Amino acid sequence: MSLNWQDKTASELGRMIGMGEIDPVDLTQAVLDAIEAHDMTDRIYARLTRERALAEAKAASDRAKSGARLSALDGVPISWKDLFDTADVATEAGTALLKDRIPDEDAEVLKNATAAGLICVGKTHMSELAFSGLGLNPITASSPCVNDHDAVSGGSSSGAAASVAFGLAPAAIGSDTGGSVRIPAAWNDLVGLKTTSGRLSLEGVVPLCAWFDTVGPLARSVEDCAQLLALMEGGKAADLRGADLKGKRFLVLETVAMDDVRDAPGAAFQSAVERLQAAGAQVDRGDIPEVAEIMELTSILYTSEAWGTWKDVIEANPDVMFPEILGRFQLGQSWSAGEYIAAWQKMEKLRAGYLTAVAQYDAVIMPTSPILPPNAERLMSDHDYYITENLLALRNTRIGNLMGLTALTLPTGVPSCGITLMTPPDTEERLLRLGAAAEAALA
């Protein structure tokens, strides 16, 4: 059927279902039809869950008709990154190492979302084992950027972002270990939420670095992110009513985050800052020495845990991996247990120092990515370019993971250029209120 849903947020669709304006079965069928008709579907979706989606939609339709809806998004279809276990459906995390891996049950966050009435339409492509900020994956598929189909869409939640940006899902669920929700969200003009480590369950989520892995939504609005966070944990969504920026204090992080920012992201960020100020926010600029120090710990902390997690599986069949990803995992061999533990201890001290330094501010802000989406063909043919662009893509977002923060990226109005707001751990509701106010100022 023909149904005008692709310009609506997930929350808007939920309200339309509640008012009887859209039937969940019709909506789900329209989403599935759009997916199957799109010429880049194979680069975005790893597989569909058609039968499951239509069965869930029928149940949601019956609830809506009887006035027994389970949540504000009951009956809304969304996509899931292919590292969330789905019962009896392959979950391969973008790698041939896990080909034909079929879990017995859903990941915990998917169970919670399903219990709230969300509909699973399919699994989206991703960087191999989630170990890249680019989204380039010659093993399965490299999802396109909505603003440049020859460029990558950002990783590792590459297909998740593309599914929403190309109008093939109202919202998506991804994961973020070093920027994997925020980079693709920014490059595809979406809102992306990095949650605090431990806030959402990782049970049934294929790990990269479990100490840094987080689950988060990619959507068209802050409201959607607030709703999806609540439904994945079985809680109540943040109240965004009346949010504004008057009297709020933001700090532009000038340590590391503003280095080598390219022209378009830099100009977009400056324009966004001016609009936040016009809406009543006070914006200061400053250095935080702990940021530079913690960035030096990146390699040991990430590669050691990633290699420790996947060593046996990789060594049994290394030739099936994308060499760039394989090489990144193998870097973890070079660190000792003593060095790894010392790095964790240092990181904890630096986190405490950072939180003290920013205590007077409502949020720290910076460009989500210092670069635009790189060309996929060049990334495949130029090793040095791949390394440079991957490190730059992840640089700013990784600050939030290393510091243990929660972070939100918002579109600036300039294609593929986002602005990030970061707040202390476990302050998602506060961040979402700030994000809603900033979203209105940037619109």
Side-chain angles (χ1 to χ4, degrees):
M1 65 168 290
S2 177
L3 182 66
N4 180 25
W5 65 270
Q6 290 170 310
D7 61 343
K8 304 289 193 301
T9 68
S11 297
E12 289 169 340
L13 291 170
R15 285 189 282 272
M16 294 174 75
I17 292 171
M19 291 185 289
E21 297 176 4
I22 294 180
D23 184 89
V25 173
D26 293 339
L27 175 59
T28 300
Q29 187 63 61
V31 172
L32 290 168
D33 288 347
I35 294 169
E36 293 178 344
H38 201 277
D39 60 0
M40 285 186 283
T41 286
D42 290 345
R43 295 175 60 189
I44 296 170
Y45 277 91
R47 61 199 62 85
L48 297 183
T49 52
R50 168 178 277 278
E51 291 184 7
R52 171 177 178 157
L54 292 173
E56 291 174 346
K58 178 61 168 62
S61 176
D62 291 344
R63 289 192 296 271
K65 290 172 183 174
S66 63
R69 295 182 73 222
L70 299 171
S71 72
L73 299 187
D74 189 352
V76 176
I78 65 171
S79 70
W80 291 79
K81 185 176 182 177
D82 194 33
L83 49 59
F84 294 100
D85 282 354
T86 38
D88 304 320
V89 174
T91 301
E92 299 175 345
T95 181
L97 292 169
L98 300 181
K99 184 173 174 56
D100 298 325
R101 174 184 176 273
I102 301 178
D104 294 327
E105 58 181 317
D106 288 347
E108 186 70 22
V109 288
L110 177 52
K111 287 181 184 177
N112 290 343
T114 302
L118 281 164
I119 294 166
C120 173
V121 293
K123 310 292 288 298
T124 55
H125 285 299
M126 55 181 284
S127 303
E128 187 170 9
L129 289 174
F131 212 6
S132 169
L134 298 172
L136 183 74
N137 189 342
I139 303 301
T140 54
S142 298
S143 298
C145 174
V146 72
N147 297 312
D148 179 356
H149 297 181
D150 293 325
V152 289
S153 64
S156 63
S157 306
S158 50
S163 71
V164 182
F166 280 90
L168 305 181
I173 306 301
S175 67
D176 192 310
T177 305
S180 291
V181 161
R182 290 159 291 160
I183 298 166
W187 285 357
N188 289 277
D189 307 330
L190 303 173
V191 180
L193 174 66
K194 176 224 171 294
T195 55
T196 304
S197 177
R199 169 108 192 213
L200 292 174
S201 172
L202 294 175
E203 183 179 344
V205 182
V206 177
L208 172 58
C209 302
W211 288 107
F212 291 104
D213 292 345
T214 63
V215 176
L218 301 90
R220 295 191 179 278
S221 71
V222 174
E223 181 188 17
D224 284 0
C225 288
Q227 291 289 346
L228 290 164
L229 168 61
L231 298 185
M232 285 190 286
E233 68 177 355
K236 183 179 179 180
D239 184 355
L240 307 181
R241 293 173 297 180
D244 68 63
L245 295 181
K246 293 177 181 176
K248 297 297 186 289
R249 297 190 66 194
F250 293 154
L251 176 70
V252 174
L253 178 61
E254 295 197 319
T255 310
V256 178
M258 299 304 298
D259 294 346
D260 302 317
V261 174
R262 293 180 186 161
D263 290 347
F269 177 72
Q270 181 56 38
S271 172
V273 168
E274 291 169 0
R275 280 173 279 165
L276 298 179
Q277 290 174 308
Q282 176 184 328
V283 179
D284 299 333
R285 296 175 180 268
D287 291 305
I288 302 175
E290 287 85 355
V291 171
E293 290 188 64
I294 209 167
M295 294 296 279
E296 295 175 359
L297 305 177
T298 299
S299 181
I300 182 171
L301 290 172
Y302 278 91
T303 65
S304 294
E305 185 176 358
W307 181 247
T309 300
W310 289 100
K311 174 181 180 295
D312 292 344
V313 176
I314 290 173
E315 288 186 333
N317 201 10
D319 293 342
V320 302
M321 293 188 72
F322 179 30
E324 298 288 6
I325 302 297
L326 173 62
R328 198 166 184 215
F329 273 99
Q330 290 173 331
L331 290 173
Q333 301 176 87
S334 60
W335 304 103
S336 69
E339 289 171 315
Y340 178 71
I341 292 169
W344 263 96
Q345 292 172 339
K346 183 175 182 180
M347 182 182 69
E348 295 291 351
K349 292 179 181 178
L350 293 171
R351 285 180 172 183
Y354 171 91
L355 291 175
T356 298
V358 303
Q360 62 184 309
Y361 293 100
D362 292 285
V364 173
I365 60 176
M366 61 186 180
T368 303
S369 173
I371 64 173
L372 293 176
N375 178 269
E377 185 175 339
R378 184 177 173 189
L379 288 169
M380 284 297 300
S381 62
D382 187 337
H383 169 75
D384 291 340
Y385 181 70
Y386 179 96
I387 296 298
T388 298
E389 299 302 284
N390 188 51
L391 290 175
L392 276 172
L394 287 161
R395 188 197 65 196
N396 286 9
T397 53
R398 196 166 55 225
I399 295 169
N401 301 83
L402 288 166
M403 287 297 181
L405 311 174
T406 184
L408 183 74
T409 182
L410 301 171
T412 61
V414 177
S416 297
C417 295
I419 181 173
T420 284
L421 287 71
M422 300 191 301
T423 58
D426 299 311
T427 59
E428 277 82 354
E429 284 72 20
R430 166 181 145 190
L431 174 63
L432 288 162
R433 281 187 61 82
L434 286 171
E439 179 180 53
L442 297 171

